[in-house]
Amino acid sequence: MPESYTVEVDVPAGLAQDPRTPASEVSGEDDDRLSQVVEGIIRIASGDLDTNIPVSKARDQVDAVITGINLLAGELNEVYADFEERVDTRTRELQEAHEQMQHMAMTDPLTGVGNRPSLIQALEAAVNARRDGEPGPAVLMLDLDGFKDINDSFGHGAGDLVLMEIAARLVSTAGANAVVARLGGDEFAVVLPVSTSGFAQVAATKILESLKRRIQLDDLDVWPRASIGIHLAAPNENASDILLRADTAMYAAKEDSQRRIKHFEPVMLYKRQLRRKTAVELREAVGLNQLQLAYQPVVELGSGRMQGVETLVRWNHPTRGLLMPDSFIPLAEETGVIVGLGRWVLRTALEELARWRNLMPESEPFKLRVNLAAPELHRMDLVDHVRRALSETGTPPSSLVLEITEGAFVAGGEVETYSLKSLQALGVGLEIDDFGTGYSSISYLRRLPVDTVKVDRSLIADIDDDDGQLRFVEAVHNLIHAAGMEAVFEGVETAEQAWQLRKLGCCSGQGYYFGRPIAAEEVARLLQDGGPLPV
């Protein structure tokens, strides 16, 4: 048999049964109290922690149990209330963190305005809220003109400050209901949730006016300019369609220097599609042998002797005929095709030069000029490619001159500077092209690793009958010589221009007066003849 144990229970004072209490009073309540205990436990178990089981006058063991249950229910109620408060606090914190993350995900971190996802969200909301017969949303797509020059010339820190100021002006000008977003780089967009064509035009005009004010950054003054494309949403157009059309109108505005604001027209989309198709065809043009070279003579003004030629590329398009460089070189630079195209031009021209060298005395100086686009300067392997092309064609480095626009010289970073100095060390001639159209100044001329300056045709166009312009050309010529360089004047079209340049002491010229661009075979014939060109 199991052992017997004696259990002593300490009953709180006041709960022990009063020996004077008649047994009949207690026994009559036992069943009722036990039922209350059971019901109370059931209520507590179901979550009603405010349950309080009444204590009888008997103050016996049953009442002790009831008191313990009531105390336990009270403690559980306090614990649960504290738990609920903690859950509510953590829920609020999570909600605030979620809202903060959502705000960050929809905000441009630099300017504080919206980003592309927030713009699309606002535009979709405006499209969905539109009712039949009511005006819909309009999108103004804005791109800063010449912003890259700010970054290149003054650093990205200055560029960031300009972008922040631009964003602030857009917010203050666009209106309370408008949504302003930065889409990346120097491109912004404004959504007008309800707009007409006229209202959008007024908003765009106000934005351009606000941008005309000077932005002052320490010792730097910037006068921002922008191009704006507008599209008023048509029925059944989604957000992507609207943004595409506004973006297309913006690019049309950038191409038109007279009109900085353009409303979308269907023909613009066709031109954009044609441009995309042309870019694809241009990538294939080299492999399909559709490119061909022409050469324009560079002449010694005093004797008419051909000093060399400039290499010019043409595209023999299968359906559009012979295309001049202006119609595809900018596109090649935008799409990156210019690197492959430029390397084909350089190699092909050097191979032609190798054949021409057999037709002239070795002592006869003759220089092949090849244009080098700014994106080509960005390539780390540029110098190796030039060195290899010279070696494989047997061309002395001194016979090659690479023409680079002055904008590329001035805006060049570390890679560009390395390439230029390495090319100069290789013995290749470097020439500033289109001098006089951009940053022309003696301060940067003296710092550049260049040998020759090609003066833009616009400077000599009026020297026949404009004494002031003639004196200006003379000053430019003297400036170039003071920097220790030689000058080539392009765009010489008349005998009078050639005579005036000779009188100023200018040595070299290029233009239709001496000859239009010609095929390689014609260059060979001129070299064989050895006769001077007209001067």
Side-chain angles (χ1 to χ4, degrees), residues 107-139:
T107 303
D108 175 57
L110 174 65
T111 62
V113 299
N115 56 13
R116 185 179 290 273
S118 70
L119 179 82
I120 293 175
Q121 185 180 79
L123 186 54
E124 288 176 343
V127 168
N128 294 332
R130 182 181 188 176
R131 296 180 180 178
D132 291 342
E134 293 184 352
V139 171

Side-chain angles (χ1 to χ4, degrees), residues 202-222:
V202 170
T205 302
K206 287 182 178 178
I207 288 173
L208 287 187
E209 288 297 321
S210 74
L211 297 183
K212 288 181 179 179
R213 300 195 309 272
R214 178 183 61 177
I215 297 177
Q216 191 168 8
L217 307 173
D218 296 331
D219 57 348
L220 171 65
D221 289 337
V222 176

Side-chain angles (χ1 to χ4, degrees), residues 144-173:
L144 298 180
D145 299 328
F147 179 75
K148 184 177 183 298
D149 294 339
I150 298 174
N151 274 339
D152 291 341
S153 302
F154 306 106
H156 288 274
D160 288 347
L161 293 174
V162 170
L163 292 174
M164 293 165 64
E165 176 62 23
I166 294 295
R169 293 186 187 185
L170 289 176
V171 170
S172 64
T173 306

Side-chain angles (χ1 to χ4, degrees), residues 202 264 284 351 416:
V202 170
F264 172 77
E284 302 170 348
E351 290 173 353
E416 292 84 346

Side-chain angles (χ1 to χ4, degrees), residues 181-327:
R182 178 181 174 227
L183 305 185
D186 60 342
E187 189 172 78
F188 293 83
V190 178
V191 173
L192 305 176
V194 179
S195 180
T196 63
S197 178
F199 183 79
Q201 176 72 28
V202 170
T205 302
K206 287 182 178 178
I207 288 173
L208 287 187
E209 288 297 321
S210 74
L211 297 183
K212 288 181 179 179
R213 300 195 309 272
R214 178 183 61 177
I215 297 177
Q216 191 168 8
L217 307 173
D218 296 331
D219 57 348
L220 171 65
D221 289 337
V222 176
W223 280 267
R225 295 176 294 109
S227 300
I228 299 179
I230 300 174
H231 180 55
L232 195 66
N236 302 321
E237 283 184 344
N238 58 34
S240 297
D241 295 333
I242 299 167
L243 290 176
L244 173 63
R245 285 159 173 75
D247 190 62
T248 301
M250 183 265 291
Y251 274 102
K254 288 185 75 70
E255 292 174 358
D256 188 347
S257 59
Q258 302 301 317
R259 295 176 58 191
R260 292 294 179 183
I261 301 173
K262 289 270 192 178
H263 290 256
F264 172 77
E265 297 174 4
V267 68
M268 295 177 182
L269 195 57
Y270 169 75
K271 289 181 179 178
R272 183 165 183 165
Q273 293 167 344
L274 178 61
R275 187 178 181 85
R276 188 179 298 115
K277 181 174 181 290
T278 302
V280 173
E281 294 173 337
L282 185 54
R283 289 185 183 276
E284 302 170 348
V286 176
L288 296 175
N289 295 319
Q290 294 175 357
L291 299 178
Q292 61 187 57
L293 298 182
Y295 304 89
Q296 188 169 32
V298 175
V299 176
E300 186 178 59
L301 292 174
S303 65
R305 180 182 66 84
M306 187 165 60
Q307 297 176 316
V309 292
E310 178 184 0
T311 307
L312 304 168
V313 64
R314 308 285 189 255
W315 182 8
N316 193 9
H317 193 278
T319 59
R320 297 164 60 187
L322 194 64
L323 302 180
M324 296 295 105
D326 290 347
S327 65

Side-chain angles (χ1 to χ4, degrees), residues 324-443:
M324 296 295 105
D326 290 347
S327 65
F328 62 89
I329 291 298
L331 179 62
E333 293 184 355
E334 288 178 21
T335 58
V337 179
I338 192 65
V339 175
L341 189 153
R343 295 191 172 184
W344 178 87
V345 169
L346 176 63
R347 180 57 185 255
T348 305
L350 287 175
E351 290 173 353
E352 291 291 353
L353 177 60
R355 287 188 281 271
W356 297 335
R357 285 171 56 82
N358 296 324
L359 304 174
M360 67 182 80
E362 290 187 8
S363 60
E364 188 78 14
F366 186 90
K367 295 186 181 295
L368 176 74
R369 286 173 161 81
V370 178
N371 288 279
L372 189 69
E376 294 180 86
L377 275 175
H378 299 167
R379 301 285 298 227
M380 289 292 295
D381 62 344
L382 170 65
V383 179
D384 289 336
H385 173 74
V386 173
R387 182 186 293 111
R388 186 168 57 254
L390 290 169
S391 175
E392 292 176 354
T393 57
T395 305
S398 59
S399 296
L400 175 64
V401 176
L402 295 176
E403 296 188 357
I404 308 168
T405 60
E406 57 176 325
F409 273 112
V410 175
E414 293 182 1
V415 174
E416 292 84 346
T417 302
Y418 163 80
S419 296
L420 292 172
K421 291 185 176 179
S422 298
L423 288 169
Q424 187 183 48
L426 184 62
V428 172
L430 297 176
E431 179 175 278
I432 299 175
D433 197 12
D434 301 329
F435 182 82
T437 60
Y439 302 87
S440 312
S441 73
I442 192 170
S443 60

Side-chain angles (χ1 to χ4, degrees), residues 297-308 369 431 451-455 460 473-474 476-478 480-481 485-490 492 497-510 514 533-535:
V298 175
V299 176
E300 186 178 59
L301 292 174
S303 65
R305 180 182 66 84
M306 187 165 60
Q307 297 176 316
R369 286 173 161 81
E431 179 175 278
D451 315 294
T452 313
V453 174
K454 181 174 282 188
V455 180
I460 68 168
V473 170
E474 182 179 19
V476 169
H477 183 245
N478 291 335
I480 294 169
H481 271 283
M485 303 176 192
E486 295 298 324
V488 176
F489 287 81
E490 65 176 345
V492 181
Q497 288 174 330
W499 179 78
Q500 292 281 19
L501 291 173
R502 282 199 308 274
K503 193 169 67 169
L504 294 177
C506 304
C507 296
S508 305
Q510 177 183 346
F514 308 113
L533 295 172
V535 290

